[in-house]
Amino acid sequence: MDALNFIDGRHVPAQGGEWIENYEPATGAPYGKVASSDARDVQAAVAAAQEAFPAWSSLPAQERSRKLRAVARLIERDKDRLARAESIDCGKPITLAATLEIPRAALNFEFFADAATQSATEAHPAGDVLLNYTLRQPLGPVGSISPWNLPLYLLSWKVAPALAAGNTVVAKPSEVTPATAHLLGELCNEAGLPKGVLNLVQGLGPKAGSALVAHPGIKALSFTGSTRVGREIAVETAKRFTKCALELGGKNPNLIFADADLDQAVDGTSRAAFQNQGQICLCGSRIFVERKIYGAFKERLIAKARALRLGDPLDPSTEQGALVSRQHFEKVTTAIETARSEGGKILCGGGVAHLEGRCKNGWFVEPTLIEGLAADARTNQEEIFGPVATLIPFDKEEEAVALANSTRYGLSASLWTRDLSRAHRVAGQLHDGVVWVNCWLVRDLRTPFGGMKESGMGREGGLDALRFFTEPKNVCVKL
Ligand code: NAD
């Protein structure tokens, strides 16, 4: 399948006629092409978004809501097709895509379809002398740049609130996983979304992405991706005072206290370490365990990791698929070598997984657990973004909190305890934007989502997203 741009309601190749090869991670072989766009394509998409903005922004909220709900229904209807496309494109287990990620993309559209009709603004009356009220107006064409790990889910997480608030959008999906964005274009037309309201520009970050960031017609930019690229985007957008939200990398801690329900903690910690081959920004890659239960917890976690079914992502029973690209596969396997050279002891995994048949050249890495490394070792400081997690014992609560807070990241954390007071106390002390107690990756779309420190700037979700995509204007009336 070739992935084209979707501009002004039409699928089109890049104006320069250039293409990028698209690989299937499970086989390591190319299976399609991606339009390699440049500034000309971005210009066409922004022009379409500008043209569509007056009519879209002045539609009654109910009308916008209806269109977004129609998109949600079509994603649900085509769930299996989209899940298959995403599984082939990313190497992720098809069951994970079909049961979790694609349904969540539909839910994002549905949630913001509701939000469009439910949001209100503030008034500040001062007796019968003055009335101040706040208008929250859409900004115009806005930009979205998203990564490869949850392609449709993270794209819809930005696009849906932007559209609900009355903006038009130019979105750049990852060049590594362009398939479901291409298919979303078709669904938008079928849903009756007016042309130019959502435009998708495929292609490379430094070419298509940077042209979008630099375009003066883009009134706000929402970015999810690495801290390195986020920093560049923050600098570029600051030059024009363009509003910018950044959801970046993480090195998330998992704290397991001795009083935790061990079954739940082992299960949750394993999912947090290995779901989607560890390629979720929220994955818990640093596991801190109270020394009293360290040995028992470690044995059970190793057994769980060894039992994960690694295989062809298109097999419905597969729990661990392939890593997304050769480049990323090399990054992760190099990180495991670094852990070894730092003196880490490999408890399980630790290498490339060799499959038979059609997957024999795929980019598979075994779920890997490592112990014996200091908290300030590179392995415990740098984001690996693969199926690799480390274990470190601790004795005291304060020590656990200090270890958890000891990186430049601050995206999310999980803590496992039956002690209610401790749960609230520790949650308050962690320098992370999202803290889960006795669970992991449970999402309520109304809650603020985002990171502290070098994990980002700004929040997504619910009201925060609608506020990001609107400009507050105070109107002061003398009565
Ligand atoms: P990346 O930063 O390499 O790329 C992300 C997107 O930015 C892609 O679409 C890419 O083409 C584009 N891009 C790259 N260079 C650009 C440039 N100079 N100008 C404009 N756009 C550019 O990240 P990735 O490898 O695709 O994704 C993995 C990273 O994303 C990890 O660090 C992960 O933690 C992070 N992530 C964060 C969250 C979150 O919510 N905080 C969610 C998912 C992923």
Side-chain angles (χ1 to χ4, degrees), residues 249-311:
K251 189 76 184 172
N252 310 305
N254 238 303
L255 310 184
I256 296 102
F257 291 93
D259 64 358
D261 177 322
L262 268 206
D263 290 338
Q264 280 184 18
V266 169
D267 198 49
T269 304
S270 168
R271 281 199 312 115
F274 300 124
Q275 188 163 309
N276 199 33
Q277 297 76 250
Q279 302 168 124
I280 302 180
C281 54
L282 306 163
C283 274
S285 53
R286 295 180 300 141
I287 304 166
F288 301 105
V289 188
E290 195 167 343
R291 200 177 303 275
K292 280 183 247 174
I293 56 158
Y294 185 80
F297 183 88
K298 178 173 86 176
E299 291 315 314
R300 291 177 66 170
L301 190 63
I302 292 171
K304 196 101 194 158
R306 286 204 174 118
L308 287 169
R309 276 192 302 276
L310 195 147

Side-chain angles (χ1 to χ4, degrees), residues 366-385:
E366 297 168 322
T368 299
L369 291 168
I370 304 168
E371 71 174 355
L373 289 170
D376 62 358
R378 270 182 69 191
T379 306
N380 281 321
Q381 290 292 318
E382 294 172 9
E383 185 182 45
I384 297 173
F385 216 54

